Amino acid sequence: MKHLKADIQDFFKNRWFLFVLVLTAIGCYGFKLMQPVIGIDDTPYEYYFSEGLIVVVGRWVLFLLNQILNIGKFAPFLTDFAGVVLLTFAAVLWSIVWKRIFGDQIPKWGYLVFSCLFLSNPLICEVYTYFLHNGIGIGYTFSALAVLAFSEGLEEKGRTKLRDFGISAL
């Protein structure tokens, strides 16, 4: 994971990459963020977090997250916006995964096209009308981090190798 910060900075230093990626995120999710939609999970919102119903329906990670960050008190815009930011960051992380695999065989604009397609995937965009969907962004972010940690663990030796494999297992 020692090269990850440099790889992230490499993508974030490219202003065109960031501009087009943010423009894609706004184009895909801007309307959803600005227009509140009531989904089936929005009506028992208070029961989910106050009464503990969220654990009963199997969303125990959100229950634990609510105990730490108290996300049950925020407006839906904030959680929706956080989900879009996480998904955008996951697109950058998956571009880093592909860059480490293919190196310079793919030009920078190829990673930009991949990231924009990753963000605008209709299967992902469709579920953003549902309640607390940012698990998608969290899942893609952590799965990319796990792949990156595992690939670095293959190159390391000793305790660093065990640490990287441990991170990828989590």
Side-chain angles (χ1 to χ4, degrees), residues 32-48:
K32 164 61 180 108
L33 288 175
M34 296 303 163
Q35 306 297 321
V37 176
I38 296 176
I40 192 165
D41 290 333
D42 292 329
T43 51
Y45 188 77
E46 187 66 27
Y47 291 116
Y48 271 144

Side-chain angles (χ1 to χ4, degrees), residues 10 24-25 37 57-59 69 71-72 75 77 102 121-122 127 132 140 151 155 161 163:
D10 184 42
T24 302
V37 176
V57 296
R59 296 179 180 173
L69 298 176
I71 60 175
F77 172 81
F102 294 111
N121 185 350
V127 298
L132 285 176
Y140 276 122
S151 67
E155 299 168 0
K161 184 175 197 164
R163 183 201 67 200

